[in-house]
Amino acid sequence: LQLASHALGPEFENEWTRAAHVPSLGYRTEGRLLVSLDHEGAAGLRERFDFNISWGVEADWISGDEARRIEPHLPPTVTNAVFTTAGHQVDNRLVLEALRTAFLRAGGVLRDQTAVRRIVVDRDIVTGVDVGQQIIPAETVVLAAGAWSGQIAGLVPTLQTLVHPVKGQMLAVGMS
C-alpha cells in the first residue's frame, strides 16, 4: 500500500487540484527522516528499515551525526536514523479542503456534524446509513471514522475490532 501510494502521489496532486480548482495540496518530495533517540529505539528502527528494504523501498541507515547534518535541530540524543526518498507528503489540511470542494462541486451532499448511528445492512448488503432522524440510502458507503469506526453499529463483529485508537500527535512547525 505504501509503495502504491507513493507511486500515485503526483497523479493524486494533479487530479485533486484540478477537481477542486486549488493551486496545490502542499505535495512535497524531499524525503523522510526517521530517528531513534536511544539504543532500544534503534532496534525497532532497524527492524522497520529491514522490512522496508525487503519490499524494495530505497532507504539509507545513517548515524546520528549524519541525521543532524540533514536536520540540524535534532537533539544530540539521536543515535541512528533512516532517510528515505520515498517519504512524500501533502498538507492534510489542504487535502481535506480540496476533497470537500471537489465533492460539493460534483453535486455531493455533505452533512457536517452528523453522527452515523449505524450502517444499514439488508441480507449482507450495505444499503445505507442511519443518522438518527433519517436513513440515507446508498449504493456505496465509505467508513472513514478512523479510530471510532468500531463504535458504529452494523459492522460484522470481526470488522469492529480491526481499527482501534492509537495515541499520536500531529505538529506543524516552521523553523526560521
Side-chain angles (χ1 to χ4, degrees):
L1 185 59
Q2 178 185 3
L3 294 174
S5 294
H6 181 264
L8 292 172
E11 182 181 334
F12 179 86
E13 163 94 350
N14 291 334
E15 188 174 324
W16 285 102
T17 53
R18 279 194 316 270
H21 296 125
V22 296
S24 170
L25 300 180
Y27 184 62
R28 296 170 48 186
T29 62
E30 66 267 12
R32 178 174 55 186
L33 187 65
L34 306 169
V35 302
S36 63
L37 298 175
D38 54 34
H39 293 294
E40 184 178 307
L45 186 62
R46 174 57 85 169
E47 190 175 301
R48 188 171 179 182
F49 170 76
D50 291 341
F51 176 79
N52 279 295
I53 292 296
S54 74
W55 278 92
V57 175
E58 291 182 28
D60 294 312
W61 180 264
I62 62 177
S63 69
D65 290 337
E66 291 171 290
R68 280 183 289 283
R69 278 193 283 282
I70 295 169
E71 178 48 67
H73 295 283
L74 288 173
T77 54
V78 170
T79 58
N80 294 96
V82 172
F83 177 76
T84 176
T85 58
H88 296 188
Q89 61 184 318
V90 292
D91 183 326
N92 62 344
R93 296 161 298 190
L94 295 175
V95 171
L96 180 60
E97 191 55 38
L99 294 173
R100 182 182 193 283
T101 300
F103 176 73
L104 294 172
R105 290 176 60 86
V109 176
L110 184 62
R111 299 171 196 267
D112 278 330
Q113 304 300 317
T114 303
V116 172
R117 296 176 64 185
R118 71 183 170 97
I119 296 173
V120 180
V121 179
D122 182 25
R123 291 185 282 259
D124 292 333
I125 297 173
V126 174
T127 59
V129 292
D130 177 351
V131 295
Q133 306 296 334
Q134 172 185 19
I135 292 179
I136 302 169
E139 291 180 23
T140 303
V141 171
V142 177
L143 178 58
W148 298 271
S149 295
Q151 298 173 12
I152 297 175
L155 290 175
V156 293
T158 53
L159 292 179
Q160 286 181 317
T161 59
L162 286 180
V163 180
H164 58 277
V166 175
K167 183 175 174 25
Q169 294 85 26
M170 184 181 347
L171 178 66
V173 178
M175 300 289 193
S176 56

